[in-house]
Amino acid sequence: MPEEVVYYVTRYGYLAIFILVFLQETGMPNPFPNELLLIFSGYLSYKGLLYLPYVILTAVSADFIGTNILYFLFYLSGALIMKKKPKWVPLSESMVDRLSDKISKGGQWSIYIFRLTPFTRGYTSVITGLLQIKPEVFLPLAFISGLSWATIYVVIGHYIGPSWNLFTANIEIFKSIMIAVLFIISGMSVLIYFTRKRKRSKTKSV
């Protein structure tokens, strides 16, 4: 656990949690994942230095505000980006329309899943904004996924409190598990997508 993070979160509490989560959710590079920050904050609640519900509320607020700045930035500039068509946007306008329609009509689960997945959270907000997914679709999902995400990691930190030294000694293993979970969820999402696409193709052919 980086000593700087330990110092600032221990000394400044909720303010430090808010700032660190907010910065990372707006796309600021941070070598220290928010997931580990929340686990440490949960541990501090176990020690009695922070109040568990306030930690969750702080993290959710920072996440919701930060991710929506990123989302609205690309939502408001999405049409211009697609018109200019930079090389880093490998999407045609027709593909964007299809994806946007699909998510709006029931593909919201994919936004929720990827907003829970480490390393893809910020990208999800960018892509959702770029696809012009309406705020009435994205905002509830951003809040629910943020609440789920913060609660999971803070509660984990709170309940592993008695075994904190063991956890920190094996923190690299935990990071590897997070990466493995990312690949598993991504692989399952791709598999489900192509399975559904194949079923729809068969249905249309019949």
Side-chain angles (χ1 to χ4, degrees):
M1 193 73 62
E3 294 183 4
E4 297 84 357
V5 175
V6 172
Y7 171 77
Y8 283 111
V9 175
T10 303
R11 180 168 181 177
Y12 297 106
Y14 308 110
L15 178 61
I17 296 170
F18 184 94
I19 291 174
L20 290 171
V21 172
F22 173 80
L23 289 177
Q24 193 165 135
E25 293 307 320
T26 54
M28 296 287 186
N30 187 348
F32 186 77
N34 273 339
E35 288 77 14
L36 292 179
L37 167 65
L38 295 185
I39 290 175
F40 177 64
S41 301
Y43 167 68
L44 292 181
S45 73
Y46 161 77
K47 296 288 287 184
L49 299 175
L50 298 173
Y51 184 46
L52 183 67
Y54 289 171
V55 174
I56 295 174
L57 178 61
T58 301
V60 173
S61 300
D63 171 76
F64 187 74
I65 296 172
T67 201
N68 276 294
I69 288 176
L70 206 57
Y71 161 74
F72 278 109
L73 177 64
F74 282 87
Y75 179 78
L76 297 174
S77 61
L80 179 61
I81 291 175
M82 291 308 302
K83 185 177 180 180
K84 298 285 186 180
K85 202 63 172 61
K87 292 181 180 180
W88 55 268
V89 182
L91 300 172
S92 64
E93 289 188 20
S94 59
M95 187 181 296
V96 169
D97 290 338
R98 286 199 307 273
L99 289 171
S100 178
D101 185 62
K102 186 177 296 184
I103 292 174
S104 297
K105 290 183 177 179
Q108 296 97 325
W109 67 272
S110 59
I111 297 176
Y112 177 78
I113 292 296
F114 282 107
R115 283 268 302 137
L116 287 180
T117 308
F119 312 114
T120 66
R121 295 172 50 75
Y123 295 112
T124 303
S125 303
V126 170
I127 293 172
T128 306
L130 189 62
L131 291 178
Q132 299 289 283
I133 302 303
K134 298 297 183 184
E136 55 265 30
V137 173
F138 179 75
L139 294 183
L141 287 169
F143 176 75
I144 295 171
S145 62
L147 179 61
S148 304
W149 170 76
T151 302
I152 289 170
Y153 287 103
V154 172
V155 170
I156 286 175
H158 183 85
Y159 282 101
I160 67 173
S163 306
W164 184 252
N165 290 334
L166 179 63
F167 169 75
T168 54
N170 295 278
I171 199 166
E172 292 302 322
I173 296 176
F174 178 78
K175 289 181 180 179
S176 299
I177 291 173
M178 287 202 303
I179 293 173
V181 169
L182 166 64
F183 281 109
I184 291 171
I185 292 176
S186 300
M188 289 178 63
S189 300
V190 171
L191 180 62
I192 292 171
Y193 171 77
F194 282 108
T195 301
R196 289 182 174 179
K197 186 176 181 179
R198 180 178 295 180
K199 286 182 179 179
R200 285 195 296 269
S201 299
K202 287 182 179 180
T203 303
K204 290 180 180 179
S205 62
V206 173

